[in-house]
Amino acid sequence: MLQRRAGRGGRGGGGHEKKKKRWREELEGEGEVEASAEQQRAYEELQRDLREREAFEAENRARLKKEEEEAAARARKEREELRRRRPQVYLEVGTAARKDRTKVERPESIGRLVFELFADAVPKTCKNFRSLCAGDGALTYVGCPFHRIIPGFMAQGGDITRHDGTGGESIYGLTFEDENLSLVHSERGTLSMANSGPDTNSSQFFVTFGAPSWLDGKHVVFGRMLDGMDVLAKMEECGTAEGKPKELVVIISCGEVQEEEKIVPPELQEEGKKDEATMEDPTEGPLLAGEPHGQVAAGTRKERKPDWEDPTEGPLLVEDEAAGGATVGEKRPREGVAREGEEAGGGSKRQRMGEGSD
């Protein structure tokens, strides 16, 4: 009897241990479940933080991109406004056959060259040219010949004092410095300053018949042709390989184009088609940087009527070989534009021009 109870107690003790073990396993399982749930919550919080950070960064990127686009649009609009306000000038060109060494027929107009001046990049150079075209003072291009024309290269003129390439004068004095040499001779009709070396700009200029890239960095580009390519072609036909024109090619009138008559450059015409409704009036707003350029009212500029003796011939070109120099005053070195492979500013005056003998 006693033995049986003890046996039962032994069996009962073993079952209790099994229950305890089972309970312990159940508790451990619940702990693992709780730990797994905690990890899941942490993971979800991390994912939420990552999504919020990505959304914040995307919003910042979008805001920065919008600000950059707005700044670029404002800068583009400002550049376009400056370009719309660039001054424009014209040169009316005439040609005449030569009667003899010193006499020519009265020139007949072949049309106008209309130029846009890059006053936003080279205001001082443009003011000089504009003033000489408008006849603001005693200096003017009226009656001034294109004394050197080389087909395929350029037509040079603007010697308002001697008419042969050895003279010239600016509104700032005899010469003035190179203002900006970064603009390039990129196309037919490029307007650039002639010189006899660094910082020797005066009134002489040239118009290209092509894109003479070897002149980049040596001559100040300050404009381009907007109208008159047919006139430029007629001028080119008057040229010769050595540069001496076959006919007299001369500026018979010149001036500044009034706002209401300005030609809209091709690239701005395209912009106008894209955004015609929002385009501002180009005649409003401040003038370009530099001293303001006034407009010359019709009839206020003095009309200069040259006598049409050939300005490229006659006593200014006659040299006294016995004396070894020019008979009429002291001549400056001829301002010129070197052809490809030649250097301007060294040697004799004709070598500086890249010319042969007349």
Side-chain angles (χ1 to χ4, degrees):
M1 189 76 172
L2 293 172
Q3 187 176 2
R4 189 167 42 211
R5 287 179 179 174
R8 288 177 180 173
R11 286 196 299 273
H16 183 67
E17 289 296 328
K18 289 179 180 179
K19 287 181 180 179
K20 286 171 64 177
K21 183 178 180 181
R22 188 171 66 249
W23 292 341
R24 187 166 53 247
E25 289 175 353
E26 289 176 356
L27 289 172
E28 288 175 356
E30 289 176 359
E32 289 176 358
V33 170
E34 289 178 358
S36 177
E38 185 66 26
Q39 290 175 353
Q40 182 66 24
R41 284 193 297 272
Y43 175 75
E44 290 175 356
E45 289 178 1
L46 179 61
Q47 290 293 98
R48 185 168 57 254
D49 290 342
L50 289 174
R51 285 194 298 271
E52 290 176 354
R53 179 175 296 181
E54 289 174 355
F56 177 76
E57 291 177 351
E59 183 180 350
N60 270 349
R61 286 194 298 270
R63 178 176 55 81
L64 291 174
K65 183 179 180 181
K66 183 179 180 181
E67 290 176 355
E68 290 174 357
E69 290 174 349
E70 289 175 350
R74 285 194 301 271
R76 184 168 59 251
K77 186 175 181 180
E78 289 172 0
R79 288 194 300 270
E80 290 170 359
E81 283 300 310
L82 288 175
R83 295 184 69 176
R84 290 190 188 103
R85 295 194 185 102
R86 284 175 175 174
Q88 295 180 13
V89 297
Y90 70 88
L91 303 176
E92 185 175 0
V93 180
T95 60
R98 301 180 188 277
K99 292 181 178 179
D100 53 40
R101 180 175 171 78
T102 60
K103 297 290 184 180
V104 294
E105 296 177 354
R106 187 173 184 82
E108 294 184 1
S109 174
I110 59 173
R112 284 185 173 187
L113 307 176
V114 179
F115 296 100
E116 176 188 50
L117 305 184
F118 302 153
D120 48 331
V122 280
K124 186 173 183 178
T125 306
C126 291
K127 182 184 177 185
N128 178 66
F129 190 80
R130 188 211 64 80
S131 180
L132 293 172
C133 287
D136 291 342
L139 304 177
T140 180
Y141 283 133
V142 175
C144 187
F146 286 88
H147 60 274
R148 185 181 180 218
I149 303 176
I150 301 174
F153 182 23
M154 57 91 217
Q156 181 181 344
D159 183 349
I160 59 177
T161 58
R162 294 187 179 274
H163 294 177
D164 63 358
T166 64
E169 184 179 353
S170 78
I171 63 173
Y172 310 112
L174 196 61
T175 61
F176 64 99
E177 71 281 0
D178 295 328
E179 186 175 11
N180 183 349
L181 293 171
S182 64
L183 302 180
V184 298
H185 304 77
S186 59
E187 59 184 340
R188 182 179 176 88
T190 296
L191 184 62
S192 186
M193 293 298 291
N195 61 46
S196 55
D199 300 320
T200 58
N201 301 289
S202 61
S203 56
Q204 290 198 47
F205 64 91
F206 63 94
V207 185
T208 64
F209 295 138
S213 58
W214 64 91
L215 301 178
D216 295 345
K218 299 177 182 177
H219 297 264
V220 178
V221 174
F222 65 98
R224 62 170 177 170
M225 184 179 295
L226 295 179
D227 189 35
M229 285 297 179
D230 56 332
V231 179
L232 193 65
K234 294 175 183 177
M235 293 170 60
E236 188 173 13
E237 292 174 358
C238 295
T240 60
E242 62 274 12
K244 183 179 176 62
K246 293 179 286 189
E247 296 183 1
L248 174 67
V249 181
V250 66
I251 299 170
I252 59 178
S253 71
C254 52
E256 184 172 11
V257 179
Q258 301 300 305
E259 285 290 344
E260 62 275 10
E261 298 175 351
K262 278 187 175 181
I263 297 172
V264 180
E267 62 275 12
L268 293 185
Q269 291 179 11
E270 292 299 320
E271 285 294 327
K273 292 176 183 177
K274 293 178 183 177
D275 197 15
E276 186 176 357
T278 59
M279 183 178 289
E280 296 182 6
D281 185 1
T283 64
E284 297 295 335
L287 293 172
L288 290 168
E291 297 187 26
H293 57 275
Q295 295 181 353
V296 181
T300 59
R301 180 171 56 80
K302 292 181 180 179
E303 292 294 331
R304 300 173 186 265
K305 297 181 179 180
D307 55 9
W308 304 121
E309 290 188 2
D310 187 349
T312 65
E313 297 289 355
L316 286 178
L317 291 182
V318 177
E319 296 189 355
D320 185 351
E321 296 183 1
T327 58
V328 183
E330 180 83 19
K331 289 188 180 181
R332 295 211 322 272
R334 193 182 282 259
E335 293 185 18
V337 187
R339 285 183 257 201
E340 187 171 14
E342 296 177 341
E343 290 293 333
S348 69
K349 66 182 181 182
R350 292 194 181 278
Q351 288 171 338
R352 277 190 290 272
M353 290 286 289
E355 296 180 9
S357 60
D358 288 338

